[in-house]
C-alpha cells in the first residue's frame, strides 16, 4: 500500500514568511483559506476555488480559542490534522499552515478586533464573544499570510459579511470571495459538527434546509415576511429541540428587514439545536415576484 500523501506544512510564522517571500519573488499570487480543520468537501471546495484564482494557495488549520466560550466545545472540537493534510495534498494545496496558539497569540498579545454592523444579532445573540474572536484571528492570519485573495464559505454567511466589513473598514489589501454552501443529498449543509449527530438526529437535521428553502420560496412568491417567518418558526419548533433564530436579513449588509414584501435581495438565516448539536444554515431570497 502506498503511503498517504501529505501537504507541505509549516508551523511557525517565520517559516511561513520564508515561503510567502519566495512565492512573491517568483511573481505568484497568493490565495488563502482559513479553517479550524476537520476538513470535508465543503472546505475542499474553498481550496479549489482559491486555486482557480491564485497561483499558490495556503490553508491554515487553527482551532481558535478566542471564538469559544467557556461552555462551548473547544476541548472536544474535532482535530484530524493527518487526515486533513492528506485531503489537502489530494486537492493540490501548496502549503498547510498549522500554528500553535502561542504562534498566533504570542505572549503579550493585547489587541481585539471588534466589528459591529453585520455582526449585530443572529450569532452574536447566542455567542456574544464569537465575532470578536473571528475578526481578531482572521486579521492576525491575514497579517501572517498576506494573501491577495481569501476564500470563505457562505454557510457561515454572517461570518463572511463580518470579514468583508473588517477588510473594508481597515483597508486591508485582500479580496474576500464567498463560495456557495456544499450540501448532503438531503440539503444538510456540510459541517465539522455533523459528526456529533446520532442517526435519528441526522434525519431531523436534514429538515433545516427544507424549511429555509420553503420560507425563501414563500417570500419570493409574495407572502409577507411576518407571516412566512411565523409559519417557518412554528414548523421548526416542531422538528428541532430548540430554535435560536430564523430571520430574514438584507443580503448585502445583514440589516433588519420589514415585515412586508421583500424589496431587495435577502438572506434567510437560522440556527437550531438537534440534541446537543447546534446547526446553522442560510439560503438566498430574491425580491418578491410581481405578477
Amino acid at each position: 500500500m502506498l503511503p498517504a500523501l501529505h501537504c507541505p506544512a509549516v508551523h511557525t510564522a517565520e517559516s511561513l514568511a520564508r515561503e510567502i517571500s519566495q512565492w512573491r519573488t517568483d511573481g505568484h499570487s497568493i490565495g488563502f483559506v482559513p479553517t479550524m480543520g476537520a476538513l470535508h468537501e465543503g472546505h475542499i471546495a474553498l481550496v479549489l476555488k482559491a486555486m482557480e484564482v491564485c497561483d499558490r494557495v495556503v490553508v491554515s488549520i487553527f482551532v481558535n480559542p478566542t471564538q469559544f466560550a467557556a461552555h462551548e466545545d473547544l476541548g472536544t472540537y474535532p482535530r484530524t490534522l493527518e487526515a486533513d493534510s492528506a485531503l489537502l495534498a489530494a486537492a493540490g494545496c501548496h502549503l498547510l499552515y498549522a500554528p500553535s496558539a502561542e504562534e498566533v497569540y504570542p505572549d503579550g498579545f493585547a489587541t481585539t478586533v471588534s466589528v459591529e454592523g453585520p455582526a449585530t444579532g443572529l450569532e452574536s445573540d447566542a455567542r456574544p464573544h464569537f465575532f470578536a474572536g473571528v475578526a481578531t484571528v482572521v486579521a492576525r492570519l491575514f497579517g501572517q499570510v498576506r494573501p491577495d485573495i481569501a476564500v470563505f464559505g457562505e454557510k457561515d454567511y454572517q461570518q463572511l459579511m463580518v470579514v468583508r466589513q473588517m477588510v473594508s473598514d481597515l483597508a486591508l489589501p485582500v479580496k474576500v470571495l464567498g463560495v456557495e454552501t456544499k450540501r448532503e443529498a438531503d440539503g444538510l449543509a456540510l459541517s465539522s459538527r455533523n459528526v456529533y449527530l446520532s442517526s435519528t438526529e441526522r434525519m431531523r437535521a436534514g429538515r433545516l434546509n427544507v424549511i429555509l428553502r420553503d420560507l425563501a420560496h414563500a417570500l419570493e412568491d409574495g407572502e409577507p415576511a411576518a407571516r412566512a417567518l411565523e409559519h417557518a418558526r412554528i414548523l421548526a419548533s416542531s422538528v428541532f429541540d430548540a430554535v435560536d433564530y430564523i430571520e430574514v436579513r438584507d443580503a448585502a449588509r445583514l440589516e433588519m428587514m420589514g415585515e412586508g414584501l421583500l424589496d431587495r435581495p435577502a438572506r434567510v438565516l437560522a440556527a437550531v439545536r438537534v440534541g446537543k448539536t447546534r446547526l446553522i444554515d442560510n439560503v438566498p431570497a430574491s425580491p418578491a415576484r410581481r405578477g
Side-chain angles (χ1 to χ4, degrees), residues 25-143:
T25 298
D26 294 341
H28 295 310
S29 59
I30 297 170
F32 178 44
V33 181
T35 83
M36 294 208 301
L39 303 184
H40 49 65
E41 289 181 20
H43 295 106
I44 299 305
L46 307 184
V47 176
L48 295 177
K49 181 62 177 180
M51 292 175 64
E52 281 182 20
V53 297
C54 291
D55 301 318
R56 295 291 183 269
V57 172
V58 179
V59 173
S60 65
I61 293 179
F62 177 63
V63 181
N64 177 34
T66 67
Q67 66 193 65
F68 289 81
H71 65 281
E72 293 180 329
D73 59 346
L74 173 62
T76 60
Y77 192 88
R79 291 166 170 82
T80 56
L81 188 60
E82 288 292 313
D84 292 345
S85 178
L87 281 174
L88 292 173
C93 177
H94 300 95
L95 188 66
L96 165 61
Y97 178 43
S100 66
E102 292 73 23
E103 197 68 31
V104 178
Y105 302 117
D107 185 46
F109 189 91
T111 298
T112 299
V113 180
S114 179
V115 180
E116 296 185 3
T120 304
L122 302 171
E123 287 300 289
S124 291
D125 287 343
R127 310 174 72 192
H129 60 285
F130 181 68
F131 285 120
V134 168
T136 301
V137 76
V138 169
R140 176 74 170 155
L141 290 170
F142 280 178

